[in-house]
Amino acid sequence: MIVPVELTSFTANVNNLGQVVLNWETATEVNNQGFEIERRTESSEYRTVGFVEGNGTISEPRSYNYTDVTAEKGINYYRLKQIDFNGTYEYLNEIEVDVNGPLTFDLAQNYPNLSTLQQILNIVYQNPAMLSFLFSHSW
């Protein structure tokens, strides 16, 4: 039996924005159309969150990556669904990632400095994809 894709590694890291960066490598590929990236949490079923094109048939190592910008906070599970050009598919390794939200948050100096106008700037952090700003002033 011919193995369509020989996966040599599949890893995940959480970047400073709280996004999950998936990396995987193949040693060889046969008839590989691409990879669906699937994610689930402890309370949900797998669903497709992305797709990365394959390299057809190749006997040289290839590296792939995908960044999940909508990862949920907490434990996330990822797996690759390798799809051939003829529509057949197989599921590859599952990995677990703990997403704790952004690791850094910076607020640069606001210009011009209007402190003489008694302005107040409140910043409320909601999630990695969204910031909410409330700006109030008094004259």
Side-chain angles (χ1 to χ4, degrees), residues 2-139:
I2 298 175
V3 177
V5 169
E6 183 182 349
L7 188 70
T8 57
S9 71
F10 183 33
T11 61
N13 295 295
V14 180
N15 66 19
N16 286 343
L17 300 174
Q19 302 166 338
V20 175
V21 180
L22 302 170
N23 295 288
W24 65 98
E25 296 181 2
T26 62
T28 61
E29 299 177 25
V30 177
N31 199 33
N32 181 24
Q33 180 180 2
F35 303 90
E36 280 187 4
I37 296 89
E38 297 184 344
R39 179 187 72 216
R40 74 173 177 89
T41 63
E42 293 181 342
S43 62
S44 69
E45 299 295 318
Y46 271 108
R47 65 182 182 90
T48 301
V49 295
F51 182 81
V52 175
E53 297 261 345
N55 280 288
T57 299
I58 192 162
S59 59
E60 298 172 2
R62 288 290 183 247
S63 297
Y64 297 91
N65 64 67
Y66 177 81
T67 301
D68 184 2
V69 299
T70 61
E72 297 182 33
K73 192 171 182 179
I75 302 293
N76 289 265
Y77 299 91
Y78 290 88
R79 69 180 179 188
L80 298 174
K81 179 180 180 180
Q82 185 275 317
I83 304 170
D84 287 350
F85 285 112
N86 64 11
T88 60
Y89 62 89
E90 71 173 326
Y91 291 104
L92 304 176
N93 302 20
E94 176 185 76
I95 57 175
E96 177 182 314
V97 183
D98 189 2
V99 179
N100 293 312
L103 302 178
T104 62
F105 178 78
D106 296 320
L107 177 62
Q109 175 63 41
N110 294 316
Y111 292 98
N113 185 348
L114 304 173
S115 61
T116 59
L117 300 176
Q118 300 178 355
Q119 298 198 355
I120 301 168
L121 176 64
N122 295 321
I123 298 178
V124 180
Y125 176 76
Q126 292 180 342
N127 65 44
M130 192 182 319
L131 288 177
S132 174
F133 293 93
L134 171 65
F135 183 73
S136 60
H137 63 82
S138 60
W139 302 99

